[in-house]
Amino acid sequence: MSQAREEVIQACEQESCCNGSFSEHLPEHFGENVFSLKVMKEVLSPKAYVSIEKTIKEGGKLDASIADEVAEAMKKWAIAKGATHFTHWFQPMTGTTAEKHDSFIAWDNAGGITLSFSGKELIQGEPDASSFPSGGLRATFEARGYTGWDPTSPAFIKEGPEATTLCIPTFYIGYHGEALDKKTPLLRSMAALSKQVCRLANLFGIDTKGKRSYCTIGPEQEYFLIDKAHFNARLDLIETGRTLFGRKPAKHQQQEDHYFGAIKPRIMGFMEELDRTLWGLGIPAKTRHNEVSPAQYEIAPIYEELNIGVDHHMTLMEVMRQIADKRGLACLLHEKPFAGVNGSGKHNNWSIVGPDGKNWLYPGKTPHDNAKFLATLCAIIKGVDTYADLLRVSVASAANDHRLGANEAPPAIVSIFLGEQLTDIIEQIEKGGAKTSKEGGILHVGVDSLPQLAKDTTDRNRSSTFAFTGNKFEFRAVGSSMNPSAANMVLNTIVAEAISDMCDQLEADKQAGKDFNASLQKILQDIIKKHKKVVYNGDNYVPQWQVEAKKRGLPNLKNTPEALEAIKAKKNIQVLVKHGVLTETEIASRYEINKHAYNTVLVLEGDCAATMARTQLIPAGIEYQKQLADTIKSVGTAGKTTGQKKLLKEVSSLIEQSLSDCDALEAALAKHDAAKIFSGMAKLRVSIDEMEGLVPSYLWPLPSYAEMLLMNA
Ligand code: ADP
Ligand code: MG
């Protein structure tokens, strides 16, 4: 560590600086809890550093002979930061992160202990992880799972209340190398895409020797913050992450006064601590603001290379929950915590950087750059159209079902928004020889320059599932609580496939001595003719789009059970297998895991709803019923009770209705009938929510929507 940096950090630790001037030292603090290349350069021998730098930058294999040295340096660095333990940190199929801590202590053979950490411990772990979902991959005879270091994603320090832990990002595989996590196939898909992009780059005459291509991700995360006391008073939030009951309050988002509004001090405190913590972890938190619904907010980082961006994102979600908890708040990452108000998504901004180091979704200034851009764009159009169902599967979950298709989030139909100008350009390419009216000419790919694309004209459509936003695509169907790996794994694979097809043709044409630009133009023309049906620039929320999409033959997989079946389609299995992203067995296991997860959520929610109704909410109704009946009786003929009698009747009938709805829900639960559980919960909710509107608030045992959404600061 450089002396200046060390001094700053020491001074800050002793609190003799940063009193109001944290920002002054932000560049030094950024990444201070990360075992980065910068740190490694200072603490490793030149030989070890050169080797590991090569592994990280070029994505090659780790040289095992330097592992001990790296481990020793990492241990020293971590101990200086208060670490007593290390953990392999991984992303099992549960969708969250997992860790099993081991302390550095070892006997020193002299009656005491020493602190040790070997290269072997760094590189490989074998957590006793037989309880993680494997979808049948790990049969009874072989329940072992291994974690392996992903050196491209740096180790980091996680702070606990009393000490810290060294976290080593790893992938998680079975004995025969089968993927048991979300990271392994993501890394494989990145390699697959890189291979095809480099192949295309070669055809464009770009030097690819020793180079690779990678994707970038900038996930925008929406979330809710509510008071922890409100959270703790609701079994549904505690158990399922969303409210299963609750009347829509008089005031919600209709005045649109929350979006981008001034941030309240308590929330600001949360955001400030969040940003600081993230920066310390090298996570480039950039944007923060209020979202559409009251109590809803957003955070977005500066984009990063995909696997690092995903690791950072998983850490971000965890840190958000912890900091909220520490500050008496609860951070809700569920896709639909409150019915009737805006849900939360994770806009997955994604792009490709070629072996030339340039963003291939940035229309450049030269015809050559434009040709690269148009080829990439058309490959994406083809990939998304051909595998729209697979993309839909990648964002399918019980929680996201409440959001996709509602009038606030992209629908379950996957379509592409290109904007008027770009659509005009692809139409020119499609027409090939004919004159177009708009620009008065025909675009010759690789020969003519594109008109400058105005960014603001491409970003106006907020209802599209998959939108081009100037220099990247934004996949908006990803759910707020999801690990974004699956969506990006599919995206990488289907684009790799489309580019691979393109390269097959271009290479054949080259062999036949055809002109490169002319053959590319023809390929792009064919793609647009066949796949432009997936391009839709209109409003995705209107019902006519459902009709129109059906006419165009676009899949509309409305819920998770429907979507999951698409995994089994031959073309979908083929594309994942062909590019070495998932084997057929791994795909089958993922299908099982997702199906099981869906059913588990439904049963849990159904159970929770029935319990709350029977033990908390119907009793509140009955108590009120008794109060009303007693009052009417004691008033007798002394006063008029017509209105009260009517009220008593209404309350009584809602109690009866709720009880019979409960019976029906419980019958569905006993049969594990997912569809009936779903509809049974919805039905029960109607009578209970109506009852909430009649029973006095002092008898109602749950905090209301108004309290939760409006009283968080
Ligand atoms: P908005 O979508 O709200 O208009 P921006 O487009 O500026 O905001 O950025 C949203 C997110 O997209 C940010 O996280 C940003 O870093 C990310 N982003 C920008 N360029 C790229 C890119 N080339 N690849 C991936 N993500 C990107
Ligand atoms: Mg955006």
Side-chain angles (χ1 to χ4, degrees), residues 399-419:
N400 214 15
D401 278 1
H402 295 284
R403 191 176 146 258
L404 298 182
N407 260 13
E408 55 171 46
I413 306 162
V414 177
S415 67
I416 297 181
F417 171 84
L418 286 184

Side-chain angles (χ1 to χ4, degrees), residues 196 199 382 387 495-506 523 578:
Q196 298 306 329
R199 207 175 142 204
K382 176 173 173 178
Y387 300 100
V495 174
E497 171 66 1
I499 294 179
S500 160
D501 279 353
M502 197 179 269
C503 291
D504 287 348
Q505 186 65 50
L506 284 168
I523 291 169
K578 174 178 166 189

Side-chain angles (χ1 to χ4, degrees), residues 216 218 220 301-303 349 351 359 459 462 471-472 474:
T216 48
E220 300 166 62
I302 302 176
Y303 65 93
N349 293 277
S351 189
N359 176 358
D459 200 14
R462 290 261 152 203
N471 62 349
K472 62 187 187 294
E474 186 166 329

Side-chain angles (χ1 to χ4, degrees), residues 215-220 286-287 289 298 300-304 347-353 359 455 459 462 469 471-474 476:
C215 341
T216 48
I217 180 183
E220 300 166 62
K286 176 86 175 163
T287 308
H289 62 80
E298 182 179 304
I302 302 176
Y303 65 93
E304 298 180 273
H347 291 177
N348 189 91
N349 293 277
W350 171 95
S351 189
I352 301 173
V353 176
N359 176 358
K455 190 172 182 273
D459 200 14
R462 290 261 152 203
T469 50
N471 62 349
K472 62 187 187 294
F473 271 98
E474 186 166 329
R476 297 192 179 123

Side-chain angles (χ1 to χ4, degrees), residues 39-52:
V39 175
M40 284 192 252
K41 192 163 193 177
E42 287 163 15
V43 298
L44 293 179
S45 69
K47 176 180 163 260
Y49 177 75
V50 169
S51 162
I52 196 138

